[in-house]
Amino acid sequence: KDGTNQLRASAIACNTQLGRTAGAITTELDDIVYSPIAHHTLIALRTAHSHRPYNVVNDCFYRLECQLLRPGIQLPSNRTVSANVQRLYLGLAVYAAKHLQV
């Protein structure tokens, strides 16, 4: 946990030094268009951000909800969610390292 807090503190200090405000994750839904890739990314982000297990996609009520909202949807497996979270972490780690270089 100390590593996360230190990273957050460093990011805030860097943004302050550069005159930027820390950006929040957008939750605006007006311009979002469905795609399976965007949905898989959103599942990975939600599991990482909310500290949820990767097998949340196996939950019967979650699967029913998704079918209700988008009949015929193919949800990723928990292994795919895990791999997507790892890909996001690796990609964002490079971005964060570049951002934190002063």
Side-chain angles (χ1 to χ4, degrees):
K1 249 187 168 167
D2 284 346
T4 302
N5 289 333
Q6 290 175 359
L7 179 61
R8 183 179 305 164
S10 296
I12 291 170
C14 181
N15 281 331
T16 301
Q17 184 179 14
L18 296 173
R20 298 178 183 162
T21 57
I25 296 173
T26 182
T27 56
E28 295 297 322
L29 301 176
D30 296 340
D31 297 326
I32 293 179
V33 176
Y34 180 84
S35 76
I37 293 171
H39 191 193
H40 288 207
T41 304
L42 183 60
I43 291 169
L45 288 170
R46 184 178 59 225
T47 57
H49 181 265
S50 301
H51 307 288
R52 296 184 185 270
Y54 300 135
N55 67 356
V56 70
V57 293
N58 297 332
D59 179 76
C60 66
F61 293 111
Y62 177 72
R63 297 180 82 74
L64 285 170
E65 178 184 17
C66 289
Q67 288 297 324
L68 177 68
L69 296 173
R70 192 162 195 89
I73 192 169
Q74 295 293 317
L75 291 173
S77 70
N78 56 321
R79 287 184 178 187
T80 300
V81 174
S82 173
N84 289 343
V85 168
Q86 291 173 28
R87 283 187 201 100
L88 284 170
Y89 175 80
L90 291 174
L92 293 173
V94 171
Y95 173 77
K98 288 180 182 178
H99 177 73
L100 295 174
Q101 289 176 349
V102 180

